[in-house]
């Protein structure tokens, strides 16, 4: 029974490590996506990003 509990703890620890890695990768992907989205927005609406000259 102790072996099963130990295996469960080990599996849980492995899953937590994978979860941390996925969250970090997700955050990195989100940052890249937001940068690309800003570039697309600037490309589509260049007049919004330039100061108006009177």
């Amino acid at each position: 029974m102790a072996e099963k509990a130990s295996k469960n703890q080990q599996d849980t620890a492995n899953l937590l490590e994978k979860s941390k890695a996925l969250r970090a990768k997700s955050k990195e992907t989100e940052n890249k996506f937001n940068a690309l989205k800003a570039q697309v927005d600037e490309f589509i609406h260049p007049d919004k990003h330039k100061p108006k000259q009177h």
Side-chain angles (χ1 to χ4, degrees):
M1 185 94 166
E3 289 177 23
K4 188 173 184 177
S6 176
K7 173 138 176 53
N8 285 343
Q9 285 178 337
Q10 187 178 19
D11 289 345
T12 300
N14 288 340
L15 289 172
L16 284 172
E17 286 299 315
K18 287 181 182 180
S19 176
K20 286 180 186 178
L22 285 172
R23 280 196 307 269
K25 187 168 184 157
S26 176
K27 187 66 177 173
E28 184 179 316
T29 302
E30 179 185 10
N31 291 339
K32 287 179 183 178
F33 174 76
N34 287 337
L36 286 173
K37 193 165 89 171
Q39 287 179 345
V40 167
D41 188 44
E42 187 174 333
F43 181 75
I44 292 173
H45 307 288
D47 53 326
K48 284 186 179 180
H49 300 283
K50 291 183 182 176
K52 293 182 179 178
Q53 296 177 351
H54 293 284

